[in-house]
Amino acid sequence: MIQPKQFIERLREGGVAFFAGVPDSLLKNLCAYITDHVARENNIIAANEGGAVALAAGYHLATGKTGCVYMQNSGEGNAVNPLLSLMDADVYKMPLLLVIGWRGEPGVHDEPQHVKQGKVTLSLLDAMGIPYAVLDENWEKQTDEALRTIQETNTIYALIVRKGTFEEYKLQNQVTSDWELGREEAIKMVVDKLREDDIVVSTTGMISRELFEYREAKNQGHAHDFLTVGSMGHASQIALGIALQKPKRRVVVFDGDGAAIMHLGNMAITASQAPKNYIHIVYNNGAHDSVGGQPTVGLEINLPEIGEAMGYKTVLNATNASELQSAISQLDDCVKPALLQICVRKGNRKDLGRPTTTPQQNKEMLMDELCK
């Protein structure tokens, strides 16, 4: 395995000192080291992967140097446009080092949302004309070759990271908060007050897992829930699509701060459509909790004020159990669309399971409920 410190020192020796990206579980040790040892202005945890590529472009324009963008392979989709229409040799021809976590690698067990992305990770790079190497025991030579190629051609090169490539490194600069509520506790409080016919669309990561397990514990079934196991940042628009077609059913989004920020413009589209049956709940702990706890700007910005400015009719905020109970009661009769931010602590219980249904089973159960 590679020590994150050695890898970053190798990059620095090769002239790479600027980093941007979205944290990934396979890269969590590397991302944690970067967070602890790179100044904040030179390590931007971006809203999404395309934004990270643009940040690296701006860095190059200002300095003439090469930046590094890290991402999970699912983020390739977000990055395709700026990689091809901004960085590519046929356009501006700007150098860039990509470090990509290979979730869903063929032959390696992974969650269903990663299977297809894993199959096409390398072929997608081939289609874009981006050379790459899959890091192994020869990582020093591979890294040097990547940096040499970038310097000589002034273009893009990708280093692909398999599971277990980097040695463990625990994040020291942790996001801390003293919020009263844990996220799972807050989810339970909301679920307990849902109407029998409410539809819930939950975002990727811990939130969907916690929702699934609480439904199991209450023996409620899962026909009213859409667990968005992939497509980070898009749960709110899935919910909007449902809400507009089923105006007599209340649709509730269980979102996270990282996911909401990733495609923040979705909130403006929701507000512009003004669905009267739409409730958007953001569980905000200021961290990418599912992939190592790297910070978001969720607690540095005022999401309720943003929602109000975008046009949500009702905006609420809760930082403890009493405020949450009050906010939940207001959601019943308030003018919608409504936005509720719940500030919660980081972390989850160690024995938290994963959904035992497949994505297609989840889809079919929900459609049976909605289309009956």
Side-chain angles (χ1 to χ4, degrees), residues 315-336:
V315 175
L316 302 167
N317 187 58
T319 62
N320 57 49
S322 176
E323 291 176 357
L324 180 53
Q325 290 286 12
S326 175
I328 293 171
S329 66
Q330 293 179 64
L331 290 175
D332 279 337
D333 300 317
C334 72
V335 181
K336 300 175 183 66

Side-chain angles (χ1 to χ4, degrees), residues 3-292:
Q3 292 181 3
K5 178 181 179 180
Q6 291 180 337
F7 183 74
I8 295 304
E9 287 179 350
R10 199 85 178 189
L11 296 188
R12 284 173 167 161
E13 290 170 2
V16 176
F18 177 85
F19 303 86
V22 176
D24 165 46
S25 58
L26 298 192
L27 302 177
K28 66 179 181 181
N29 298 315
L30 178 63
C31 290
Y33 184 87
I34 294 171
T35 298
D36 283 343
H37 294 88
V38 177
R40 186 178 183 186
E41 64 270 19
N42 287 323
N43 175 37
I44 312 299
I45 298 178
N48 57 62
E49 294 82 359
V53 173
L55 282 162
Y59 171 78
H60 173 69
L61 291 171
T63 65
K65 299 178 181 179
T66 300
C68 173
V69 168
Y70 51 84
M71 66 177 73
Q72 185 182 107
N73 53 346
S74 62
E76 282 182 306
N78 281 332
V80 165
N81 179 265
L83 287 173
L84 294 181
S85 66
L86 176 65
M87 309 297 286
D88 192 82
D90 287 341
V91 192
Y92 289 103
K93 194 177 185 181
M94 287 192 272
L96 177 65
L97 176 66
L98 296 173
V99 177
I100 301 173
W102 195 359
R103 295 297 302 269
E105 178 186 354
V108 179
H109 176 72
D110 211 325
E111 298 306 309
Q113 66 269 27
H114 299 298
V115 172
K116 183 65 176 183
Q117 197 74 50
K119 290 178 181 178
V120 303
T121 293
L122 303 184
S123 59
L124 185 56
L125 291 170
D126 287 332
M128 290 190 288
I130 297 174
Y132 58 85
V134 180
L135 288 179
D136 57 28
E137 65 274 7
N138 298 309
W139 69 269
E140 295 102 330
K141 292 182 179 178
Q142 293 171 313
T143 303
D144 291 347
E145 173 64 16
L147 297 176
R148 182 191 64 77
T149 301
I150 291 170
Q151 184 177 21
E152 290 180 355
T153 63
N154 209 44
T155 54
I156 311 166
Y157 199 104
L159 295 175
I160 311 303
V161 179
R162 289 185 163 118
K163 183 178 181 180
T165 294
F166 286 101
E167 290 186 1
E168 183 177 3
Y169 177 89
K170 292 186 177 180
L171 182 67
Q172 303 301 307
N173 294 324
Q174 292 275 359
V175 175
T176 57
S177 69
D178 56 357
W179 303 119
E180 174 185 310
L181 289 169
R183 183 186 53 246
E184 189 169 13
E185 179 186 0
I187 287 173
K188 290 178 178 180
M189 291 177 65
V190 174
V191 170
D192 285 344
K193 296 298 183 180
L194 291 175
R195 298 172 181 173
E196 287 188 5
D197 64 344
D198 281 347
I199 300 299
V200 177
V201 178
S202 57
T203 190
T204 186
M206 299 298 183
I207 290 175
S208 282
R209 293 168 62 181
E210 289 165 346
L211 171 62
F212 185 92
E213 289 223 337
Y214 194 48
R215 293 290 202 192
E216 288 279 285
K218 291 174 71 70
N219 197 30
Q220 289 184 333
H222 308 283
H224 290 78
D225 302 335
F226 186 81
L227 309 175
T228 314
V229 294
S231 302
M232 182 176 173
H234 294 296
S236 68
Q237 297 303 276
I238 296 169
L240 178 60
I242 296 171
L244 294 174
Q245 299 305 315
K246 297 293 178 180
K248 294 182 180 180
R249 300 290 292 268
R250 200 167 69 161
V251 181
V252 184
V253 185
F254 282 14
D255 218 345
D257 52 294
I261 292 167
M262 179 169 275
H263 298 294
L264 194 61
N266 288 344
M267 293 174 63
I269 301 303
T270 296
S272 72
Q273 290 293 320
K276 297 180 180 179
N277 57 334
Y278 187 101
I279 298 172
H280 191 171
I281 299 176
V282 179
Y283 298 88
N284 188 353
N285 61 8
H288 288 286
D289 216 3
S290 299
V291 291

